[in-house]
Amino acid sequence: MKDEQPLHVRRGTHRPGGCVNDKYTLSAETRTVSGHTLRRIKALKNLAYARAGQLGGWIETPRNLAPSGAAWVAEDAQVYGAAQVLEDALVFGEATVSGTARITGSARVGDKAWISERASVTDDALVTGKARICGHALVGGSAWVGDHAWIAGTVGVFGYARVRGRTRLDANEWISGEVMMAG
């Protein structure tokens, strides 16, 4: 369609001018968030989280979403700045990923969660609800952070840890194992 253009992605060894991304395209539909112009993505082929032709969420630049793997931004989720969704990760609902945050592995970020600054969500971790992960925080393993939990600063949540309610972790705290924190 004339309002959609395939992305050109540079990879390690490539033909001059790059190669075409066969995973998704950027539509002409735009929105502005905090001074960033985002464009809606559209799947070009069947993927783990989308079918060919299905509209996805919003990204600012092709660097926000890996051109390979199952990584996807779905529904009304948005990824901007230098943030990245890589490997088999999924960002869905109305979630926001910004700053230099990274969502990797098979991690899922959804609902109205907000991941920002240098935070990372990785492995099989799940962040939902209105949870906020920021600073240098790391959520990994099979951890779950939800509800209105706030994880900031140099904090790590790993293993099968569950952080929910209005819990706030913000000062060199490391939670792992089978721990449940609710506030």
Side-chain angles (χ1 to χ4, degrees):
M1 298 183 162
K2 68 179 181 180
D3 66 339
E4 298 172 352
Q5 302 169 351
L7 301 174
H8 293 282
V9 179
R10 292 180 187 225
R11 296 192 179 134
T13 57
H14 63 280
R15 295 184 306 268
C19 56
V20 175
N21 175 348
D22 65 350
K23 181 176 168 180
Y24 65 92
T25 186
L26 296 176
S27 74
E29 190 177 354
T30 64
R31 73 164 47 160
T32 302
V33 176
S34 301
H36 299 267
T37 301
L38 312 184
R39 292 177 66 186
R40 187 177 286 280
I41 59 174
K42 182 176 181 179
L44 293 175
K45 64 182 182 179
N46 289 339
L47 304 165
Y49 302 116
R51 296 290 169 239
Q54 183 177 348
L55 290 174
W58 303 83
I59 65 174
E60 181 177 16
T61 172
R63 289 189 179 117
N64 297 133
L65 179 61
S68 60
W72 191 246
V73 179
E75 299 167 350
D76 216 26
Q78 47 199 25
V79 180
Y80 57 90
Q84 294 181 303
V85 180
L86 306 168
E87 298 167 8
D88 297 327
L90 173 65
V91 180
F92 64 96
E94 295 177 31
T96 298
V97 181
S98 64
T100 58
R102 291 173 50 103
I103 314 302
T104 64
S106 295
R108 294 172 321 272
V109 174
D111 299 331
K112 293 186 178 188
W114 192 293
I115 314 298
S116 63
E117 298 172 22
R118 293 182 179 187
S120 291
V121 180
T122 189
D123 303 323
D124 290 316
L126 173 63
V127 179
T128 61
K130 292 184 179 180
R132 293 183 65 97
I133 313 293
C134 56
H136 291 276
L138 174 60
V139 178
S142 294
W144 173 70
V145 178
D147 299 333
H148 292 272
W150 186 300
I151 311 247
T154 306
V155 175
V157 179
F158 304 100
Y160 292 96
R162 305 291 182 253
V163 179
R164 55 182 291 254
R166 296 191 179 274
T167 302
R168 183 177 177 117
L169 301 173
D170 61 11
N172 294 321
E173 299 178 79
W174 298 94
I175 311 298
S176 68
E178 295 184 25
V179 176
M180 165 81 90
M181 298 186 78

